[in-house]
Amino acid sequence: GDTPLLLACLGGHLDLCKILMSVPDPASAGGAGKGKAPAAAVKEGGSSSSSAAADLDKYKNASGVNALAMACRGGHLSVVQWICAQHSSNSVETCLKESVDVMGSDALHHAAFSGSVQLVEWLLSASGSTLDVKRANNIGAQPLHYAATEGHVDLCGFLISKGADASSKTKSGDSVYEMAMQSGHLDL
């Protein structure tokens, strides 16, 4: 399951993320095993100015989704920027490379779920050549497929303007348009 840190990232609770990432042992911050933090703490927020260097591999769920990917999925640019600034490599590009989960989805794939054009624009500009709007994950889905599935018209347009292929299909043959229709988004 998701740890309190991952839920805080998904919810955009930056102060709580700072507290939870400052815990030396992720297990004591609700990771696998002992010392689970109360779920109420995730809802309450919190405050801290801690800035421990982030090793994203310590903060993953069973699907390999890390804190950065969860913040992207939630569309929380400030949390994404903070995590990248704390990364142990001091490199945004390296931090973003570590956001790839076991399905092969990267930060752009996760951000596409949120619909945040501002976040996707920042990811593309900050990543150098690390992220690619045409990159497919293990099932052949590109970020555009996920933006369409969620009905994010503005983000779909932005991704296409940056080179995403509107005619691309997943490995099972689903087009961007078909995925949007299957999710009830006929306005794409």
Side-chain angles (χ1 to χ4, degrees):
D2 292 330
T3 65
L5 172 62
L6 295 180
L7 294 173
C9 290
L10 181 64
H13 304 286
L14 180 57
D15 287 339
L16 186 54
C17 293
K18 290 176 181 181
I19 292 168
L20 294 171
M21 285 185 83
S22 71
V23 176
D25 176 13
S28 65
K34 50 192 167 196
K36 302 252 185 216
V42 173
K43 293 180 183 174
E44 295 295 321
S47 63
S48 172
S49 58
S50 170
S51 61
D55 175 2
L56 295 179
D57 285 336
K58 293 191 325 188
Y59 305 102
K60 289 185 176 182
N61 66 14
S63 298
V65 177
N66 66 23
L68 178 69
M70 288 296 263
C72 287
R73 187 173 283 259
H76 303 293
L77 178 57
S78 63
V79 177
V80 170
Q81 290 172 327
W82 182 81
I83 291 170
C84 287
Q86 304 312 308
H87 194 268
S88 57
S89 71
N90 293 318
S91 162
V92 173
E93 292 87 356
T94 301
C95 182
L96 293 173
K97 283 179 186 175
E98 290 183 15
S99 72
V100 178
D101 64 24
V102 296
M103 287 297 301
S105 295
D106 64 20
L108 277 182
H109 289 90
H110 289 282
F113 281 100
S114 77
S116 174
V117 173
Q118 182 182 17
L119 173 58
V120 170
E121 190 170 32
W122 183 85
L123 288 169
L124 289 172
S125 68
S127 72
S129 61
T130 302
L131 299 177
D132 178 3
V133 296
K134 293 182 180 180
R135 185 182 171 282
N137 62 13
N138 297 351
I139 63 167
Q142 298 177 13
L144 181 60
H145 288 93
Y146 294 126
T149 297
E150 297 298 317
H152 300 307
V153 177
D154 290 342
L155 183 54
C156 288
F158 178 77
L159 289 167
I160 291 168
S161 78
K162 294 297 181 184
D165 182 3
S167 65
S168 66
K169 294 188 177 195
T170 64
K171 289 181 179 178
S172 62
D174 291 323
S175 70
V176 171
Y177 181 69
E178 289 167 330
M179 289 182 74
M181 284 184 41
Q182 291 168 5
S183 298
H185 301 292
L186 307 178
D187 53 340
L188 287 177

